[in-house]
């Protein structure tokens, strides 16, 4: 009977606590609705305003962006607005806190305007919210209880308490509650939840070592090294949100760039930052980082390795120089009835002058053209102005200047110059290099014939991910000649001025002519208040793109912060491309060199970073594996030991109760067995994946649906699934020089169940499954 009374007492207390939390949460949503309504009203008012001074228009644009971002932030916070609470030791709380040492933690900060702007909800990024993540029983930091609050829509569904003080726990009857002293029930519940196909934020369950990295004040390159399942990606995304909160003014203008390994990965993480109220971040792969180019082709392993090495730099330089031609035979030109000869000596001298200027190809072209025109002018002067009596040339400097001007406008001469030193784009240089074996042989003489064959391909107008850094490098070698664009802009502005003046002239001509003279000064017409330039300016269409949108279209944009996920996959050339976009070198680099699968990828952070930042980089490590169950990690650990015997294996925090299994089938039975295993997974919640070598993807692709993905190991990088069916591990090993790394990645994608399907003997590193 006493036990029953105790249980009833706890149930009654828990119901009262739920009601108490519901009252507070309802108040928060009331304030959220008020804030949303205010932002909507102000946005409508701003959008209805027109005209005004340039300053007024600029202010309207700023307010439009402000209220639009506020609305996006409020919408993002709608679900899970408040997720936690900390109770502090009496005397440790904020004296202005009406709850007396009680702090509620959520997705954004909310103040009570009716109570002297008291804090109703702390943004999880605020310094006062940090004890929610850092407090432990050994170092409680004034916290006696941490409460996790779960909601569905706007209703509180449950609360879980963690007591950091034993006496408080006993007084509250913690032995009968869902939590306990130092309980991790909230974390384990999140880890065991079924996957949905999209990453969710971990704002409710950030752990101590993760929080330290998220809030790190290091202002150069921060490297986050961590094994599979340690939360590297989640930490990187939450760090982006934290930095945008803390350095809003600086990063709003310059923007934040996040680079991921593939499009699937970016789709997977795409909702995390919006759920945290941040929508101004650009997500991109290396292959899509060059504006106007989308990587659709796939290189062979050897071609990718060649393109990723800095040895390709010399090939690119020679490819550009190869387009600076010298005619094999003299070129005859007719100018003003005279015959001129453009020979190798003239062109070679002009080319030497242009190259010695050290300017990029396109920007050096005017020097080449001027040198050619000067030589042709001297040649013509020798013919036209020759004094038959032996005196000096009869043409004056004014005559020579006029001849040069006419030659610069002469189509035939300019056509020859354009052929010998053309204005080039990176796309046409690179596509022409790969498509023309002769050009490739001239530029890549140091490459073996086999390597040149690997790089050769037809010009289809498409590029690979490995081409993007080369295009970026060529843009540096070629330079951007924007003189024509500037001239087009000037012409457009002059046309707008003329149209505006015409409109004012029409108004002037239609003004009333029968007004009395003494009334004229009192009547103001449009042309009295505005001139043509002001009218033209009002018709100018302003760029309303976000910072991220503007940055995506500008190759020269420099970001305030760059985050590189799966950074171990970036080649040397990719790092050159990335570093151009972050001259301040404030970066977060996330990865695991044990998972490097790309032959051109990194094997050492020191080797990658020191050419750019010397010793100004900091290594941090995540050591706890939240994703991979201990049963699966035991198998993966053998592969890790084969990759690097000295590598530390991340510690798994849980077991799934499902030991990994291996199933051997006949040579023609792979597809049937995979189909059976997929059908077995169908009744279970979550997402499954079939990971296979490239050679089997097309055969297995029919298994894919909303709850099953069929992927190569490369495409599965950074992703996680409830169940993984790993097909033919021996072929995965054989496909790449870093096959062991790929196998390690494949084994560690599962959060619950792993099944290996194979036809021959298993690789020795998987002996635990034999």
């Amino acid at each position: 009977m006493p036990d029953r009374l105790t249980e009833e007492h706890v149930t009654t207390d828990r119901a009262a606590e739920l009601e108490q939390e519901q009252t507070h949460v309802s108040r928060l949503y009331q304030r959220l609705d008020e804030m949303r309504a205010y932002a909507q009203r102000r946005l409508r008012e701003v959008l209805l305003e027109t005209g005004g001074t340039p300053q007024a228009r600029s202010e309207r644009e700023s307010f439009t962006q402000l209220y639009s971002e506020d609305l996006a932030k409020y919408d993002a916070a709608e679900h899970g607005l408040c997720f936690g609470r900390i109770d502090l030791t009496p005397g440790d709380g904020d004296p202005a806190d009406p709850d007396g040492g009680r702090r509620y933690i959520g997705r954004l900060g909310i103040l009570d305007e009716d109570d002297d702007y008291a804090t109703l909800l702390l943004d999880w990024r605020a310094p006062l919210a940090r004890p929610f993540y850092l407090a432990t029983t050994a170092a409680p930091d004034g916290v006696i209880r941490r409460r996790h609050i779960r909601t569905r829509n706007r209703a509180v569904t449950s609360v879980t308490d963690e007591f950091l003080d034993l006496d408080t726990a006993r007084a509250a009857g913690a032995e009968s509650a869902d939590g306990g002293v130092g309980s991790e029930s909230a974390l384990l519940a999140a880890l065991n939840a079924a996957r949905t196909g999209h990453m969710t934020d971990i704002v409710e369950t950030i752990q101590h070592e993760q929080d330290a990295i998220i809030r790190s004040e290091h202002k150069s390159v921060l490297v986050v090294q961590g094994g599979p399942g340690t939360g590297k990606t989640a930490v990187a995304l939450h760090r982006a949100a934290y930095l945008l909160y803390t350095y809003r003014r600086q990063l709003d203008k310059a923007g934040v760039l996040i680079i991921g390994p593939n499009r699937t990965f970016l789709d997977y993480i795409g909702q995390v930052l919006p759920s945290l109220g941040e929508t101004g971040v650009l997500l991109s792969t290396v292959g899509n980082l060059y504006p106007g180019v989308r990587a659709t082709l796939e290189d062979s392993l050897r071609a990718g390795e060649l393109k990723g090495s800095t040895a390709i730099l010399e090939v690119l330089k020679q490819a550009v120089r190869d387009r600076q031609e010298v005619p094999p035979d003299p070129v005859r030109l007719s100018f003003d009835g005279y015959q001129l000869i453009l020979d190798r000596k003239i062109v070679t001298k002009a080319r030497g002058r242009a190259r010695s200027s050290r300017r990029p190809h396109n920007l050096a072209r005017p020097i080449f053209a001027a040198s050619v025109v000067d030589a042709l002018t001297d040649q013509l002067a020798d013919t036209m102005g020759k004094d038959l009596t032996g005196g000096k040339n009869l043409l004056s400097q004014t005559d020579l200047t006029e001849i040069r001007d006419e030659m610069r406008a002469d189509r035939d001469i300019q056509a020859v110059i354009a052929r010998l030193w053309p204005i080039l784009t990176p796309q046409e240089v690179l596509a022409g290099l790969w498509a023309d074996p002769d050009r490739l042989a001239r530029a890549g003489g140091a490459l073996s014939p086999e390597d040149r064959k690997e790089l050769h391909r037809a010009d289809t107008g498409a590029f690979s991910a490995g081409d993007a850094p080369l295009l970026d490098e060529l843009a540096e070698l070629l330079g951007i000649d924007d003189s024509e664009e500037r001239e087009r802009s000037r012409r457009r502005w002059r046309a707008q001025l003329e149209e505006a003046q015409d409109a004012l002239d029409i108004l002037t001509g239609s003004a009333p002519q029968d007004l009395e003279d003494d009334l004229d000064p009192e009547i103001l017409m449009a042309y009295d208040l505005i001139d043509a330039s002001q009218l033209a300016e009002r018709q100018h269409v302003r760029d309303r793109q976000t910072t991220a949108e503007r940055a995506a279209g500008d190759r020269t944009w420099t970001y305030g912060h760059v985050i590189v996920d799966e950074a171990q996959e970036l080649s040397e050339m990719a790092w050159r491309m990335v570093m151009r976009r972050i001259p301040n070198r404030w970066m977060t680099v996330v990865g695991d060199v044990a998972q490097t699968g790309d032959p051109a990828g990194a094997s050492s952070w020191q080797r990658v970073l020191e050419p750019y930042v010397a010793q100004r980089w900091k290594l941090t490590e995540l050591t706890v594996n939240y994703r991979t169950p201990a049963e699966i990690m035991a198998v993966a650990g053998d592969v890790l030991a084969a990759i690097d015997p000295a590598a530390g294996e991340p510690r798994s925090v849980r077991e799934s109760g499902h030991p990994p299994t291996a199933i051997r089938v006949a040579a023609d039975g792979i597809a049937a067995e995979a189909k059976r295993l997929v059908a077995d997974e169908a009744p279970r919640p979550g997402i499954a994946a079939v990971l296979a070598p490239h050679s089997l993807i097309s055969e297995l692709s029919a298994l894919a649906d909303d709850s099953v993905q069929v992927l190569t190991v490369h495409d599965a990088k950074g992703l996680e699934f409830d169940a993984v069916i790993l097909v033919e591990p021996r072929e995965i090993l054989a496909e790449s020089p870093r096959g062991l790394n790929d196998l390690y990645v494949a084994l560690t994608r599962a959060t619950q169940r792993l099944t290996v399907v194979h036809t021959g003997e298993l690789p020795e590193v998987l002996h635990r499954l034999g």
Side-chain angles (χ1 to χ4, degrees):
M1 179 68 86
D3 290 342
R4 181 177 176 183
L5 289 175
T6 301
E7 183 178 340
E8 291 175 351
H9 175 70
V10 170
T11 302
T12 302
D13 285 350
R14 184 50 52 92
E17 290 170 350
L18 286 174
E19 183 178 354
Q20 177 191 41
E21 300 300 3
Q22 183 64 65
T23 300
H24 189 79
V25 167
S26 296
R27 175 72 182 112
L28 293 176
Y29 276 109
Q30 179 185 346
R31 280 289 300 127
L32 182 67
D33 290 340
E34 292 169 356
M35 293 157 63
R36 182 187 284 116
Y38 173 79
Q40 289 172 335
R41 177 172 59 81
R42 288 293 297 126
L43 180 60
R44 283 195 301 269
E45 292 172 353
V46 170
L47 292 176
L48 288 173
E49 294 177 8
T50 59
T53 64
Q55 179 180 349
R57 294 196 297 273
S58 176
E59 289 176 354
R60 281 204 305 273
E61 290 177 2
S62 298
F63 282 125
T64 298
Q65 181 176 355
L66 172 65
Y67 294 127
S68 297
E69 290 177 354
D70 282 347
L71 287 172
K73 180 171 61 177
Y74 300 153
D75 290 342
E78 177 65 31
H79 299 288
L81 172 62
C82 173
F83 54 76
R85 187 187 100 189
I86 51 177
D87 297 348
L88 304 177
T89 303
D92 288 351
D94 184 349
D97 186 348
D99 290 317
R102 180 180 298 169
R103 298 175 188 166
Y104 283 90
I105 317 298
R107 295 181 179 276
L108 78 167
I110 294 180
L111 303 177
D112 188 352
E113 292 185 353
D114 298 330
D115 187 13
D116 199 23
Y117 291 92
T119 301
L120 292 173
L121 186 68
L122 277 171
D123 190 301
W124 66 274
R125 296 166 287 191
L128 287 176
R130 200 171 188 191
F132 181 78
Y133 301 108
L134 298 187
T136 64
T137 52
D141 196 19
V143 178
I144 58 176
R145 172 165 56 181
R146 172 170 43 226
R147 169 167 287 181
H148 293 271
I149 302 171
R150 295 188 183 87
T151 58
R152 178 174 296 172
N153 297 325
R154 297 188 170 195
V156 177
T157 58
S158 66
V159 296
T160 302
D161 288 337
E162 298 174 43
F163 292 90
L164 283 75
D165 176 78
L166 185 57
D167 292 336
T168 306
R170 287 172 177 166
E175 65 275 12
S176 301
D178 294 333
V181 179
S183 170
E184 294 183 334
S185 58
L187 171 63
L188 294 175
L191 297 178
N192 287 314
R195 268 52 193 167
T196 64
H198 292 281
M199 176 179 280
T200 56
D201 63 66
I202 60 167
V203 66
E204 302 176 33
T205 57
I206 293 171
Q207 301 302 293
H208 190 291
E209 68 174 2
Q210 296 173 331
D211 186 85
I213 294 171
I214 289 169
R215 300 175 193 261
S216 172
E217 297 298 321
H218 188 67
K219 284 299 183 71
S220 186
V221 179
L222 180 69
V223 177
V224 184
Q225 163 76 30
T230 52
K232 299 184 297 296
T233 298
V235 166
L237 295 174
H238 287 70
R239 176 162 171 76
Y242 171 77
L243 293 175
L244 283 164
Y245 173 85
T246 307
Y247 304 98
R248 176 73 63 186
R249 181 174 299 179
Q250 174 183 347
L251 295 180
D252 259 356
K253 294 179 180 179
V256 173
L257 170 66
I258 297 180
I259 299 174
N262 52 61
R263 192 72 246 174
T264 305
F265 174 83
L266 296 183
D267 291 341
Y268 175 64
I269 68 171
Q271 297 304 312
V272 174
L273 283 168
S275 74
L276 298 172
E278 301 297 345
T279 57
V281 176
L282 176 63
L283 276 65
S284 178
T285 63
V286 167
N288 293 343
L289 198 53
Y290 188 87
V293 172
R294 291 293 175 263
T296 56
L297 300 181
E298 188 169 343
D299 290 319
S300 67
L301 287 176
R302 180 56 181 163
E305 188 174 7
L306 290 168
K307 292 178 181 181
S309 169
T310 51
I312 203 71
L313 285 170
E314 187 59 31
V315 177
L316 299 179
K317 292 176 183 177
Q318 292 303 321
V320 173
R321 293 170 74 89
D322 186 51
R323 306 298 287 265
Q324 301 163 356
E325 299 181 11
V326 173
D329 301 310
V331 179
R332 297 184 179 276
L333 295 166
S334 177
F335 178 78
D336 202 18
Y338 292 89
Q339 294 297 313
L340 302 176
I341 302 297
L342 184 61
D343 58 19
R344 292 181 59 87
K345 181 179 179 181
I346 293 174
V347 176
T348 300
K349 182 179 180 180
R351 187 176 67 172
R353 285 182 177 177
R355 286 179 174 177
S356 64
S357 71
R358 304 286 183 178
R359 294 183 183 181
H361 170 89
N362 290 333
L363 302 185
R365 185 179 182 275
I367 299 175
F368 174 82
S371 181
V372 169
V373 168
D374 286 347
L376 293 177
T377 299
D378 292 343
Q379 189 179 130
L380 183 61
D382 289 342
T383 302
M384 292 179 61
K386 184 177 182 181
D387 185 347
L388 298 179
T389 64
K392 65 178 182 178
N393 198 292
L394 299 177
L395 297 179
S396 67
Q397 285 300 318
T398 302
D399 295 330
L400 295 177
T401 299
E402 290 178 355
I403 291 173
R404 289 190 186 94
D405 290 342
E406 290 177 10
M407 284 188 176
R408 291 191 189 100
D410 186 86
R411 290 186 178 181
D412 292 339
I413 292 176
Q414 291 307 311
V416 172
I417 291 174
R419 176 166 58 83
L420 299 176
W421 193 294
I423 293 292
L424 297 170
T425 67
Q427 290 92 323
E428 64 183 309
V429 172
L430 194 63
L433 177 65
W434 299 152
D436 189 334
D438 292 336
R439 286 195 186 277
L440 188 53
R442 291 195 296 270
L447 299 174
S448 69
E450 292 76 15
D451 283 346
R452 293 201 297 271
K453 186 176 180 180
E454 288 286 339
L455 292 171
H456 173 66
R457 69 164 186 251
D459 181 6
T460 63
F463 295 95
S464 69
D467 288 328
L470 309 191
L471 292 170
D472 203 61
E473 198 71 41
L474 283 168
E476 296 291 313
L477 294 172
L478 295 174
I480 305 299
D481 182 7
D482 60 354
S483 57
E484 291 187 11
E485 177 57 32
R486 289 198 304 271
E487 179 57 31
R488 283 195 295 270
S489 296
R490 283 194 290 266
R491 287 198 297 268
R492 285 195 297 268
W493 177 244
R494 286 196 295 268
Q496 285 178 305
L497 281 176
E498 290 175 3
E499 291 176 4
Q501 188 60 57
D502 288 343
L504 291 177
D505 290 344
I506 292 172
L507 289 174
T508 302
S510 62
Q513 303 298 318
D514 56 351
L515 297 175
E516 297 180 14
D517 291 342
D518 58 346
L519 293 179
D520 286 349
E522 300 179 14
I523 300 177
L524 294 177
M525 304 300 290
Y527 44 78
D528 295 317
L529 302 174
I530 191 170
D531 60 23
S533 62
Q534 291 173 316
L535 182 59
E537 175 67 23
R538 290 194 175 196
Q539 307 309 310
H540 180 65
V541 178
R542 296 187 177 274
D543 184 4
R544 298 185 183 275
Q545 291 182 312
T546 65
T547 298
E549 289 169 338
R550 292 196 304 274
D554 184 353
R555 192 193 72 83
T556 62
W557 190 278
T558 56
Y559 294 86
H561 192 82
V562 171
I563 293 174
V564 185
D565 204 347
E566 299 292 339
Q568 75 278 354
E569 300 300 318
L570 268 63
S571 67
E572 293 175 321
M573 290 300 295
W575 279 112
R576 288 174 64 89
M577 183 184 194
V578 171
M579 289 298 181
R580 288 191 188 100
R581 283 147 179 80
I582 187 71
N584 68 5
R585 301 295 190 258
W586 188 20
M587 305 173 67
T588 302
V589 172
V590 180
D592 178 15
V593 290
Q595 297 185 61
T596 305
D598 194 313
S603 57
S604 161
W605 297 123
Q606 180 177 352
R607 180 181 175 187
V608 165
L609 296 173
E610 287 197 352
Y612 301 102
V613 294
Q615 301 297 322
R616 300 189 319 278
W617 61 282
K618 178 181 178 181
L619 177 66
T620 60
E621 292 195 62
L622 293 170
T623 60
V624 179
N625 188 336
Y626 301 100
R627 176 206 299 146
T628 316
E631 301 96 327
I632 297 176
M633 201 61 215
V635 176
D638 293 333
V639 180
L640 178 60
I643 296 170
D644 181 2
E649 180 182 320
R651 176 178 60 85
S652 295
V653 299
R654 65 191 177 91
E655 296 180 353
S656 68
H658 302 286
T661 59
I663 301 174
R664 186 169 183 173
V665 298
D668 60 352
I670 287 285
E673 183 61 24
K675 183 177 181 180
R676 184 188 69 79
L677 292 169
V678 166
D680 288 346
E681 288 294 334
R684 300 188 177 108
I687 302 293
V690 178
L691 304 185
H694 285 79
S695 58
L696 294 176
I697 288 295
S698 59
E699 180 182 351
L700 299 172
S701 60
L703 299 176
D705 59 26
D706 290 343
S707 61
V708 178
Q709 297 187 38
V710 179
L711 302 167
T712 64
V713 178
H714 177 268
D715 290 335
K717 279 188 179 293
L719 308 182
E720 59 182 34
F721 310 93
D722 295 273
V724 167
I725 300 163
L726 175 58
V727 176
E728 289 290 42
R730 189 172 290 278
E731 286 193 32
I732 290 174
L733 284 174
E735 278 189 338
S736 167
R738 286 179 164 167
L740 275 173
N741 303 64
D742 287 341
L743 182 58
Y744 181 56
V745 171
L747 291 170
T748 54
R749 298 305 96 192
T751 65
Q752 299 292 339
R753 297 171 297 281
L754 170 67
T755 304
V756 177
V757 180
H758 60 106
T759 55
E761 295 293 329
L762 283 171
E764 178 61 30
V765 290
L766 299 183
H767 63 89
R768 291 177 188 264
L769 298 176

